[in-house]
Amino acid sequence: MTADTMRMLTIGEMSRRSGVAASTLRFYERQGLISSHRTAGNQRRYDDNAQRRVAFVRASQRVGMALAQISEVLAFLPEGTAPTRAFWQRASQCWGRAVDERIARLERDREQFTACAGCGCLSFDTCRLVT
């Protein structure tokens, strides 16, 4: 093991630090969202850039972005490069409208749900909430 790989996190350490299951980290890697370095024994090791990418993925998912959308945006970064502050800001600007639309849709759904609670019909023929 080289000095560089000694400073890197194992998949278990990365999982504990990020709160992301090891199976999810492997999935992210297969999808090209993150990358790892391999030891002579073919074990994964993650650097700071991978940690920052996982943070970006998790934060993006938290506001409702799908992995496909996140992947498209991360494709603008060179492989293994961490998102910068400017990158985060640009993603926020790009996704701001989608987040606003999601909030508006949820607010409409909440209003409809409240109206349906008063009605109680939940009819497949007339209820806008279930159709």
Side-chain angles (χ1 to χ4, degrees):
M1 190 178 299
T2 67
D4 290 335
T5 57
M6 288 176 64
R7 288 189 298 248
M8 294 184 178
L9 299 177
T10 65
I11 195 165
E13 292 166 336
M14 177 72 133
S15 177
R16 281 187 293 284
R17 185 172 286 190
S18 67
V20 175
S23 59
T24 301
L25 293 172
R26 288 188 288 273
F27 175 77
Y28 286 174
E29 194 170 340
R30 284 192 307 273
Q31 298 302 309
L33 299 169
I34 63 173
S35 60
S36 67
H37 305 274
R38 298 299 180 117
T39 66
N42 204 30
Q43 295 175 334
R44 289 175 170 86
R45 294 292 186 267
Y46 296 98
D47 61 18
D48 289 340
N49 293 331
Q51 291 178 65
R52 289 188 181 101
R53 279 178 166 253
V54 169
F56 180 81
V57 170
R58 299 299 288 177
S60 300
Q61 286 180 309
R62 180 81 185 236
V63 296
M65 297 293 100
L67 280 180
Q69 294 169 302
I70 298 166
S71 180
E72 288 174 4
V73 169
L74 283 175
F76 288 105
L77 289 176
E79 184 177 336
T81 303
T84 63
R85 170 177 261 159
F87 183 86
W88 279 75
Q89 289 172 338
R90 182 71 178 131
S92 175
Q93 291 170 352
C94 291
W95 291 341
R97 183 174 177 181
V99 171
D100 290 342
E101 289 171 359
R102 183 170 182 235
I103 290 168
R105 187 182 68 250
L106 287 168
E107 287 174 343
R108 285 189 307 272
D109 290 347
R110 180 185 58 207
E111 290 170 11
Q112 185 62 46
F113 185 78
T114 300
C116 284
C119 167
C121 74
L122 296 177
S123 167
F124 283 106
D125 294 328
T126 59
C127 184
R128 292 189 329 206
L129 190 62
V130 296
T131 57

